[in-house]
Structures are given as structure tokens and as C-alpha cells.
Amino acid sequence: MRLEAALRSAAAQGDLVITGHDAPDVDSCLSCAMLLTLAQFWTIPARIALPTPPDEAAMRVLPRLGLDPTPWRGDIHEDDFLALVDHHQPLHGGHLAAVIDHHPTDYPPDAPFVFISPSGACAMMLWRLCRAAGLPDAGQRFERMAVTALYLDTMALRSAKIPQEEAAWAKRRAAALHMDAAWLTQEGLGLEDMGRPARELARLSLKTYDFGGVRVCSSYVQTDAMTQERLSAILSEVRAALSESGAARWVFLVQDPVRGRTEEYDLTPDGSVEHTGYGFLASRGKNIMPRVEQEIRQAQKGERKP
């Protein structure tokens, strides 16, 4: 298996570190846990390192699956060899050994093992890899992880990024495994308390991207109770965050899983903001950021202004 060879080669050269994206969510954390178990099955020394704390949902949901992400907090060093899950760009130094991600890109990274494929959740990809490797844990325990990740990473199976066959599989397996579908749906919808400070709402689900040297930040809030007054306050905080970040662009999304709509607000340091409305739940990873990446790459080629 090419993944095994890549991980084994990396571990022979230095510390093999498995890591998710910053502010790792449920899918990112579960993907780390699965890959660590797979490495241990292959007797490959590895550790999980999360340079930033898991998000609130991860801290709430993972204990129900028997996992505590707290010990996974740790730094990444320049000489570490990295296995990235749920993202494909190294954010904290290190050498790329493997990438497993479900966010499409026209510019895949250069690494010994790269597996980027459309899927509702990265954990679903890890579950398939573990099954192919004959990992005993790839039975019901990892099935529960994959089902949970699918519900929480796709707004309860409503997002445009989840293939219909995966959504149908998640519903079937949730029922067969006697999982609490109502709880999964509630967690998946992830409706935020809009009474939280605007500064916090502006930075929820924050991700940072590097598109050909151009830094882009993105955050989003899931709610069915957005008002124009609240949106104005949040966008004001996004502008402040953009200024602090030094990024070239900030993409802020309002995801409404109840009405099945997405509103996109693109902010740039010159003070401009562009709004795009979607009549469906647009996926940040599948629909929006790939388009942003293409726009930036085109601008770099002189085809259009950034």
C-alpha cells in the first residue's frame, strides 16, 4: 500500500506527525485518530499534534466516541515529517510525507502520497483506507466515526459537497448501528447562538489558505436567525480581523441549513465587499474556495485583477 510505504519512509527519517487543519473540527480530529490507529497497526511510530485547540463541537462530540483530543495538542517542528488530514497545505513547517483530503484543488501538493478526492468527510476516506488495509478497528467503531463526521461536516447531510451515495450510506449505517440520528442532525445543523459577541461570530470555523503565496482567510456562521443589523456588526469585525491578519482577502459565509441557502461576503483590505447568494447550501471546500483559488491564480497570470 502506497500510504504505508510513505509513512514508513517518513518515520525512518524523523518524527512522523499526523495533524489536521487549524481549529480542527470533528472531521479533522476523527481523521487524525483513524490515521494514527492505522499507523500503529502497521507498527509505524507516529503522534498526533494539533497546534491549535479543537473547536467547540469537537470537544463536545468526540467524548461520545470515546476520544479525548486534549492530549493531542502539540507543536510541529521544522524537521518533522507530516501526514496532513482534512487539508493539503502545511501551516506550521515540516516536510510533507502524506496528504489525505476531501477539498478539491487544481494545485495538489507534492508529497510521496497524495489522496484528494470528493467526499462529504475526510474521515469517510480514512475509513475506506483502513478497510482496504484490513484494520480490525475499521468495523463498527470506525463506521460510527465516519457517520458522525459525515453528519457534522455536511450540515446534517444537506451540504452540496456530500455525494448522494454517501448521504444514503450515512443514514443507513446510523440506523443499523442504533446511533441517535436526531442528535447527529442537531449537531450537524450547528445553529449558532447569535447572542454571542460579533467578534466571536466573525471568527468561527476560521481557516487560512495560501494560494500561490496569496493568503486568504475564511470563516462562517451557521444560523437561520441572521438579521441585517447583526450581519453589519459581524462584517465590521471581519474587516478588523482582515486588517490584523495581513491577508489579501477574507471570505465570510452565512450558512442557513434550515432554508438551504448560503450567503458569501468577500472582503478585501481596500474596504470593498462583494456579496454572492446561493440558492443551495454551498460548500466552502467544494464550491467556494476552489473558485477563489482559481480567481487568484488567474490574477497571478494577468488574466484578471485580484
Side-chain angles (χ1 to χ4, degrees), residues 200-207 209 217-221 234 238 241 250-254 265 284 289:
E200 293 181 10
L201 294 172
R203 293 163 170 79
L204 291 174
S205 301
L206 175 61
K207 282 190 177 182
Y209 304 81
C217 294
S218 175
S219 56
Y220 68 82
V221 62
I234 293 170
V238 171
W250 193 297
V251 180
F252 180 74
L253 307 175
V254 178
Y265 301 89
R284 178 167 67 173
M289 298 316 294

Side-chain angles (χ1 to χ4, degrees), residues 209 213-217 242 245-250 267-270 296 306:
Y209 304 81
V214 176
R215 190 173 182 218
V216 178
C217 294
L242 172 60
S245 71
R249 187 167 173 177
W250 193 297
L267 290 81
T268 50
D270 63 5
I296 289 173

Side-chain angles (χ1 to χ4, degrees), residues 26 29-34 36-37 48 58-72 141-142 145:
V26 169
C29 289
L30 291 180
S31 298
C32 285
M34 287 182 173
L36 178 62
T37 304
I48 296 174
M59 297 304 296
R60 190 171 58 245
V61 170
L62 264 63
R64 290 183 62 135
L65 294 167
L67 295 170
D68 177 10
T70 306
W72 299 344
R141 178 169 176 253
F142 276 15
M145 292 185 184

Side-chain angles (χ1 to χ4, degrees), residues 219-234:
S219 56
Y220 68 82
V221 62
Q222 288 177 206
T223 180
D224 63 345
M226 182 65 76
T227 65
Q228 188 58 50
E229 180 181 6
R230 201 70 180 125
L231 176 63
S232 296
I234 293 170

Side-chain angles (χ1 to χ4, degrees), residues 160-203:
K161 73 178 174 183
I162 184 170
Q164 288 306 302
E165 60 271 18
E166 287 188 0
W169 177 86
K171 291 177 182 178
R172 289 197 309 271
R173 296 314 300 160
L177 295 169
H178 306 290
M179 299 176 73
D180 188 342
W183 173 79
L184 287 169
T185 298
Q186 179 182 353
E187 287 288 349
L189 291 177
L191 299 178
E192 291 295 339
D193 174 7
M194 296 305 290
R196 296 177 63 171
R199 178 180 174 83
E200 293 181 10
L201 294 172
R203 293 163 170 79

Side-chain angles (χ1 to χ4, degrees), residues 106-107 211-214 216 249 288-306:
D106 290 334
Y107 301 88
F211 297 139
V214 176
V216 178
R249 187 167 173 177
I288 295 172
M289 298 316 294
R291 190 207 75 231
V292 171
E293 180 180 19
Q294 289 177 355
E295 290 174 358
I296 289 173
R297 301 286 185 174
Q298 289 170 355
Q300 290 174 328
K301 296 176 182 177
E303 297 175 14
R304 57 176 289 181
K305 292 181 65 178

